[in-house]
Amino acid sequence: MNHTSQPPSATCTSCATTQRLSLIIHNVRYLAHNRYFCTNCLLKNHHGLFCPICFQVYHDSPPPHHRLMCLRCPSIAHRSCALPFSTTTANAASVPVFLCPTCADHKFSYFNISAADRISRTVDDKSFKVLAAASRIAAVSMSKGAAAARFEAERRAVEAAVARKRAKEAMEELTSIQAKEEEENSCCVVDLNLDARLNVTEE
């Protein structure tokens, strides 16, 4: 029996989840390479770019007095979102201790949908926010990747132009040297012929 393999875009390169199970496989630029992540893996690999409670994607990191950072990873949450999930120490002036959902529970998944939702391809409000956050992060990463690729292409084009110019200058210099050598050799031949004629005349 022949089995047709799924295209790379249909499988998460991190957990091997298929598009049928996760609804969407995101194409994302990650560690200078194009990767395919399910929604859960994409968010777990981009802590710090979104609030893990309300799933707002950050354009800029919230100011220090408006954020709480996870004690174990780079995840950053809005202070107002994280306070109900944080703990305080005996010192009331101390910063609350916050663990993001994935650090608090290693089995936590950002995106869970039922079999019925997979069939109908519908999601609840929370899952929609999660999907939207992952899609925004993927879009931004691909835009940055495209910009980096354009910059690299332009840099290489400039380097190629400089190399061509140097090669042309080198060829022109070589041609000039060869012309001078030919001119000097021609003068030597003329001098030898003149000496020969003078010797014949004297005899």
Side-chain angles (χ1 to χ4, degrees), residues 16-72:
T17 295
T18 63
Q19 186 167 335
R20 182 178 63 84
L21 295 177
S22 65
L23 294 186
I24 295 177
I25 297 295
H26 307 270
N27 188 5
V28 62
R29 189 74 175 171
Y30 183 69
L31 299 179
H33 296 283
N34 285 345
R35 304 291 187 191
Y36 296 98
F37 285 142
C38 66
T39 298
N40 182 51
C41 289
L42 187 149
L43 294 179
K44 285 185 174 181
N45 282 284
H46 291 82
H47 284 150
L49 299 184
F50 66 99
C51 175
I53 309 300
C54 72
F55 301 104
Q56 177 187 346
V57 176
Y58 302 131
H59 295 292
D60 296 301
S61 180
H65 59 286
H66 285 165
R67 72 188 185 199
L68 282 180
M69 296 189 67
C70 178
L71 192 64
R72 297 178 183 171

Side-chain angles (χ1 to χ4, degrees), residues 15 17 20-24 38-41 43-44 55 101-102 105-118 122-131:
C15 70
T17 295
R20 182 178 63 84
L21 295 177
S22 65
L23 294 186
I24 295 177
C38 66
T39 298
N40 182 51
C41 289
L43 294 179
K44 285 185 174 181
F55 301 104
T102 56
D105 179 7
H106 69 280
K107 294 182 179 180
F108 175 82
S109 176
Y110 283 110
F111 191 65
N112 291 305
I113 55 175
S114 65
D117 289 339
R118 293 191 189 100
T122 58
V123 294
D124 57 22
D125 289 342
K126 176 182 177 296
S127 296
F128 177 79
K129 289 181 180 179
V130 173
L131 269 177

Side-chain angles (χ1 to χ4, degrees), residues 52-196:
I53 309 300
C54 72
F55 301 104
Q56 177 187 346
V57 176
Y58 302 131
H59 295 292
D60 296 301
S61 180
H65 59 286
H66 285 165
R67 72 188 185 199
L68 282 180
M69 296 189 67
C70 178
L71 192 64
R72 297 178 183 171
C73 80
S75 185
I76 301 173
H78 296 116
R79 193 180 186 91
S80 57
C81 294
L83 280 178
F85 301 92
S86 61
T87 58
T88 56
T89 60
N91 183 1
S94 64
V95 177
V97 176
F98 169 67
L99 289 178
C100 72
T102 56
C103 289
D105 179 7
H106 69 280
K107 294 182 179 180
F108 175 82
S109 176
Y110 283 110
F111 191 65
N112 291 305
I113 55 175
S114 65
D117 289 339
R118 293 191 189 100
I119 295 173
S120 63
R121 299 186 67 81
T122 58
V123 294
D124 57 22
D125 289 342
K126 176 182 177 296
S127 296
F128 177 79
K129 289 181 180 179
V130 173
L131 269 177
S135 298
R136 290 191 186 101
I137 292 171
V140 170
S141 75
M142 293 304 290
S143 295
K144 290 182 178 179
R150 285 194 297 270
F151 176 80
E152 181 66 14
E154 291 171 358
R155 183 184 67 81
R156 292 188 178 185
V158 171
E159 289 179 350
V162 171
R164 286 194 298 269
K165 181 180 179 182
R166 289 176 178 172
K168 181 180 179 181
E169 291 173 348
M171 290 299 297
E172 291 174 349
E173 181 68 18
L174 178 60
T175 301
S176 176
I177 292 173
Q178 289 176 338
K180 289 180 180 179
E181 289 179 349
E182 290 175 358
E183 183 179 354
E184 291 175 356
N185 292 336
S186 176
C187 291
C188 290
V189 171
V190 171
D191 290 342
L192 289 173
N193 290 337
L194 179 60
D195 291 341

